[in-house]
Amino acid sequence: MRVWGVSRRCDGVVEEIGGTDEGGRKSVATISGRGWDANRWHRLASRMLMCDHLHPPDPYNEIVEPHLRETGFYYVSQIGVIKGQSAMINALIERWRLETHTFHFPVGECAVTLEDVALILGLPTNSLPVTGPTMSSFEALEAECLHQFGIASRKTDCRGSFIKLKWFRGLKDRIVLNDDVHIQMYVKCHIMLFGTVLFADKSGTAVHWKFLPLLRNFGGIIQFSWGSACLAHLYRSLCRATRVDCKEMDGPLTLLVSWAWIRLPFLAPIPGNPVVFPVANRWHNWDRQNYPYRYKTLAHYRRLLDGLQEGQFVWQAYGIGYIDPDVIPLAIRHNSVIWSATVPLISFECIEWHATDRVRRQFGLTQGVPAQGQDLGASHGEVLTGPKNQDWADTHSL
């Protein structure tokens, strides 16, 4: 039997999910008696990943708002503090299948899609992929900062190819907003600080400098599909979190928890307000209204997801009755034609598959038999560790 997923039931039994037997038939079977290491399954069933990397966006001076709108980062800048729920995130991770890039629930497969990114975070999801070369040379990093900001970061301001956020914050605070050139520098610093929200690593204190060259042409910043890159990082984080030896999850967790609360409203800490945009702000400071919610356990969420019934999952979460259509900006809605596309999601070395053919019901379509899961090969595990002087636009060209 070929197995591509596991699930831990509420009674403690770990099951093989979605395996195929010798005849090619789908099956579900218990693990016992199949030669699996007992300690490995115990760790998988009992672990609790740390999921504390929910950083609020940095504030900005209102003078720069027109320039911020020009870049496509205005709406995501409006999102306040959205605290997560670690137990719920862990329960979702247990339902994630890295082979299909979907969550597997009793009612069917579902996923965070480009539609969710656009409406939850308000990010652009169309146009050019977020990609280009990466260079491990400090001299190249230094030259890029000098070119864009007129000042170079020191080695003490960096951690390898990552620039510490405190350097960007210090620079941003010192910029005098007296002309377009300095306002653009200020906005670029603000965008780089979004590294903790959109492309967070486990430290939450630095951002890779590979994004800086994409900000050189200020008017061209909006031409990149930042929403696609953000979703690629979420998929990558979910895939890594399924590993038995993983201890914490990073990535855009604000996107994940907001998706869960709008698609599974019975899990939400407070009711969502349909006239709020971006949608993530529906749960701004929810803990002030429902503080005990943070103490719900992993067993609680496992039980709810195991008993999920048709009608409890909101397949079309952004239709009439769920969100006021007048609050969705035209600039966001204009990209809706590509939200259901089955395409690769790219952010430099990170490439993931947007498997919308498996979640057609989320777009109001009839679910047919999906294609075989896309095999991304070695690219799916690519990481920027050690020297990586490479042009990812060529590596991932299709």
Side-chain angles (χ1 to χ4, degrees), residues 355-368:
T356 54
D357 58 321
R358 309 186 75 92
V359 295
R360 289 313 217 188
R361 284 189 287 175
Q362 290 183 213
F363 302 99
L365 304 173
T366 301
Q367 181 62 58

Side-chain angles (χ1 to χ4, degrees), residues 108-183:
E109 294 182 51
C110 53
V112 186
T113 68
L114 290 174
E115 178 185 38
D116 298 299
V117 178
L119 297 177
I120 290 173
L121 299 181
L123 284 170
T125 51
N126 201 3
S127 202
L128 301 174
V130 175
T131 191
T134 54
M135 292 176 283
S136 54
S137 158
F138 175 76
E139 290 71 26
L141 182 160
E142 188 179 41
E144 189 65 36
C145 290
L146 189 62
H147 172 72
Q148 295 208 41
F149 303 111
I151 183 172
S153 57
R154 298 167 298 180
K155 285 192 175 181
T156 54
D157 298 317
C158 303
R159 195 182 71 240
S161 295
F162 286 76
I163 304 176
K164 295 177 182 177
L165 297 184
K166 67 178 182 180
W167 185 82
F168 283 112
R169 289 194 178 103
L171 175 60
K172 179 182 167 187
D173 290 342
R174 294 192 302 271
I175 295 175
V176 179
L177 304 174
N178 55 5
D179 57 33
D180 279 353
V181 172
H182 288 87
I183 289 176

Side-chain angles (χ1 to χ4, degrees), residues 24-44:
R25 295 179 295 273
K26 295 287 184 182
S27 62
V28 177
T30 57
I31 292 299
S32 57
R34 298 189 178 275
W36 297 89
D37 179 75
N39 290 330
R40 183 169 184 262
W41 293 120
H42 175 73
R43 293 197 306 273
L44 182 65

